[in-house]
Amino acid sequence: MSEPASPARRPCVRILRHAAAGLVAAALLGACSKSPEDLARYAALHHARGAHVEAIATWTEALAKSPDDPALLLGRGRSYLDSRQHEAARADLERCLALRPGLTEAGFLLAREALESRRWDEALARLGALRGAEPTRATHEIGRVHVDRCLAGLRAVLRDAETMAPRQLDTLWRAVSLLRLDDARAYVRDPRHRSEVALLEPRIERAEADLAAARAALEEVARGTDDHARHAACDLAELDMLCGRGHAADERLARLLTDGASDALAVRALRLRAEAAERQGDLD
């Protein structure tokens, strides 16, 4: 426990208390008079450190002062999206595009919202419309959408197959889990299996088409020299790994690591190399 302040020190304590109160009042007064631009800077700082609740509150405060500012709507839409509030994000981003139709970043974020909500056709349509403005980025994202739809479709195939032919699932499970979709189609066409299994064939064919489209898009981007090319190369390595081609994945990732990948990409590449080695060891 601290000693009581001596009479000689009490005036100093009172002065410090008044000074502190003055600073608080000044801070509150400053907060009340912040411009939308000031608030936008604070919101961006909150967003950058992952404080999405605070970011959204600050974007909202800024929008109360400038409700038709596309940059503020874009910022709040991004924060909503990163906190997985998809409906709110969609509303802000669509209004942003209505106010500034040429804002490509809003288009990319709307495509991401559609992807995360599993509206794949809409995501592909939005990205297709953006290829003229940012062809490399749009093509890269198109490849990712095809990968996501392919894998989601195949997971659904396996779930349904379990209810149809649980005793004969091993062959189909292996073919699908290694993305060997020719083998999967041959399995469901085999007349020795129950007839309802054949109903899975159109969905396997769609996944096969998505896989081919994904690889084509990612290979196109990977031929470049920018960051999108490096990320696309990493995505292709992950596809190689999923297809059971661990050695090919490792070679691709080794090249990527020697080409000066960013820290975040290097971490992802190292993680994938470890997964590829483990997966290939299981297959061997």
Side-chain angles (χ1 to χ4, degrees):
M1 182 179 296
S2 61
E3 296 180 2
S6 67
R9 290 169 57 196
R10 283 173 189 160
C12 295
V13 172
R14 284 197 297 271
I15 290 170
L16 289 172
R17 285 176 179 167
H18 284 302
L23 289 172
V24 170
L28 290 173
L29 182 61
C32 292
S33 62
K34 285 189 179 73
S35 67
E37 293 76 14
D38 291 334
L39 291 165
R41 284 192 288 272
Y42 286 120
L45 289 171
H46 286 312
H47 184 94
R49 65 185 180 86
H52 300 308
V53 172
E54 291 87 346
I56 290 166
T58 310
W59 291 121
T60 301
E61 186 179 351
L63 281 162
K65 299 182 177 187
S66 184
D68 294 327
D69 188 328
L72 299 178
L73 288 164
L74 179 71
R76 189 173 68 174
R78 191 195 304 274
S79 293
Y80 275 135
L81 190 55
D82 283 356
S83 58
R84 306 193 67 79
Q85 299 182 59
H86 290 96
E87 290 186 10
R90 184 182 178 88
D92 272 358
L93 294 168
E94 286 183 340
R95 184 155 171 255
C96 174
L97 268 186
L99 291 166
R100 190 180 295 174
L103 193 57
T104 57
E105 188 61 27
F108 279 109
L109 290 174
L110 279 167
R112 179 183 147 199
E113 187 278 325
L115 169 62
E116 291 181 2
S117 301
R118 297 196 167 187
R119 299 192 309 276
W120 294 289
D121 289 342
E122 178 186 332
L124 290 171
R126 288 189 180 279
L127 291 168
L130 290 165
R131 289 185 90 163
E134 295 192 42
T136 302
R137 181 181 177 186
T139 302
H140 187 197
E141 295 301 325
I142 284 169
R144 287 177 164 177
V145 173
H146 280 297
V147 170
D148 192 78
R149 185 165 68 179
C150 170
L151 297 179
L154 292 176
R155 285 192 293 268
V157 163
L158 287 179
R159 283 196 303 270
D160 291 347
E162 284 181 351
T163 67
M164 297 175 181
R167 295 179 183 177
Q168 301 171 328
L169 190 61
D170 286 352
T171 301
L172 181 61
W173 183 90
R174 183 175 177 81
V176 169
S177 64
L178 293 176
L179 302 185
R180 294 173 182 169
L181 301 185
D182 285 342
D183 294 343
R185 278 193 289 107
Y187 176 93
V188 299
R189 287 176 176 174
D190 192 329
R192 292 174 297 173
H193 300 144
R194 294 172 60 180
S195 59
E196 59 264 35
V197 174
L199 298 175
L200 299 173
E201 184 176 2
R203 291 156 65 186
I204 292 173
E205 288 178 341
R206 179 172 182 174
E208 195 170 24
D210 273 324
L211 182 61
R215 190 171 286 280
L218 294 172
E219 286 177 347
E220 178 184 338
V221 176
R223 287 193 285 269
T225 57
D226 60 4
D227 282 344
H228 286 295
R230 297 185 183 92
H231 281 281
C234 207
D235 293 335
L236 284 166
E238 189 164 10
L239 268 187
D240 286 335
M241 181 188 73
L242 292 173
C243 292
R245 298 197 292 268
H247 298 309
D250 187 72
E251 290 176 5
R252 197 186 293 272
L253 292 167
R255 289 195 302 271
L256 180 64
L257 288 167
T258 60
D259 286 343
S262 65
D263 290 345
L265 189 57
V267 168
R268 183 187 175 203
L270 290 169
R271 175 180 59 79
L272 285 174
R273 285 192 84 180
E275 290 180 14
E278 182 180 357
R279 189 177 176 94
Q280 191 63 41
D282 293 340
L283 293 173
D284 295 343

